[in-house]
Amino acid sequence: MSVLEDLRRALPELSSREARAARHLMANYPMAGLTTVAEFASQSGVSTATVLRLVKRLGFPVYADFQEALRSHIEETLQSPLLRFGERKVRDEAAQASFLARTSNRMAEHFRALPELISEKEFDRVATLLADPKRDVHLLGGRYSSHVARYMGDLLMAVRGKVYPIGGQTQSWPQRLLDMGRGSVLVVLDVRRYQDDVVQFAHAASRRGATVILLTDIWQSPAARSADLVLTFPVESPSIFDVLTVGMGVAEALVGAAAGKADTTGKQRIETLEDLRSRLAEGAFAQGPIKPKNMRDR
């Protein structure tokens, strides 16, 4: 678990001054914690004693241990497939099990760990937001996670309207911000080697009043600073590449939960969709205007 996640979990239990220091660190993570204790305290508007109490609450006996954890976080988030190539090759040569078996076991471990990483309360809040037909839902991902965002959007469209996956050139993204406001929900997927354009879009949407939901790895994208809800999942595997398998599972689970919350309108929408699919397969579009299903035999 990262220091940022520890901060989020500890925040409700902190004193007002400790919470002020914690929020400063969360808003400027992790760089604020890499300064001296005096600088951290001054920038947060609290005393050095408050900063040291916060560090101890997070489980670090001394400030140096706290900073070492932040540095490790930076190293982990900047890892690339090239950096992991040599390390994984050595592990593969020493491993007893096959690559497939190790991958399967690791994914199973990751899925079993999800209830510890994602609270039922936060998961339910996200599903409720996605199910609310009054809200417009926008979905955005990075270079690879955008595939998950689009897939999630496709599934959600079957249950409700006003779902808008965001793609294309980044120069067109500001146009998407025009329609976002207090009733909007933005789902962001961003994993390590985080994309600055995705992070900046999340910040901009938040400033326009949208509710930002972030699906990210356990180290957390900088977009977490603007997110109202953050759901984390593991991405490590025996491969030199991070994997989105568990993130895809989280996305599918959210859509399934949202579908379970859908009212009769959602059910009718799915029925209409199935009817349209059936009639398209039958070539009904070539036979004139489409009439509602209940008017076919009149």
Side-chain angles (χ1 to χ4, degrees), residues 64-210:
D65 292 342
F66 164 71
Q67 290 191 314
E68 182 58 32
L70 294 179
R71 292 189 188 95
S72 296
H73 182 201
I74 292 173
E75 290 174 1
E76 289 175 327
T77 57
L78 293 179
Q79 281 191 25
S80 69
L82 180 59
L83 289 173
R84 292 194 290 269
F85 189 85
E87 176 188 344
R88 297 294 165 88
K89 187 175 181 180
V90 172
R91 289 184 187 178
D92 287 350
E93 291 172 351
Q96 298 294 322
S98 69
F99 189 88
L100 176 59
R102 284 184 286 125
T103 300
S104 177
N105 290 337
R106 181 63 62 84
M107 293 302 103
E109 291 170 2
H110 286 342
F111 276 107
R112 283 194 295 269
L114 276 181
E116 298 176 9
L117 294 172
I118 301 174
S119 74
E120 289 286 348
K121 183 177 180 181
E122 288 196 336
F123 180 90
D124 188 66
R125 285 178 64 191
V126 173
T128 299
L129 285 167
L130 296 179
D132 187 350
K134 295 179 182 178
R135 293 179 176 270
D136 48 296
V137 178
H138 308 257
L139 303 99
L140 176 67
R143 180 180 178 186
Y144 296 113
S145 55
S146 60
H147 300 298
V148 180
R150 286 196 297 271
Y151 174 61
M152 186 178 181
D154 285 343
L155 292 178
L156 199 56
M157 285 179 200
V159 180
R160 49 156 300 157
K162 297 193 291 186
V163 177
Y164 309 105
I166 300 171
Q169 296 292 321
T170 55
Q171 289 87 346
S172 68
W173 289 5
Q175 295 171 225
R176 300 302 191 100
L177 289 168
L178 289 173
D179 297 322
M180 290 190 192
R182 295 194 178 280
S184 305
V185 173
L186 173 65
V187 179
V188 176
L189 287 101
D190 193 32
V191 297
R192 66 178 175 181
R193 301 192 81 191
Y194 314 110
Q195 287 191 212
D196 188 59
D197 50 4
V198 172
V199 172
Q200 292 304 316
F201 190 93
H203 294 339
S206 177
R207 285 178 175 270
R208 292 185 65 81

Side-chain angles (χ1 to χ4, degrees), residues 279-280 282-290:
R279 297 173 71 174
L280 178 62
E282 295 170 356
F285 291 139
Q287 300 174 12
I290 299 176

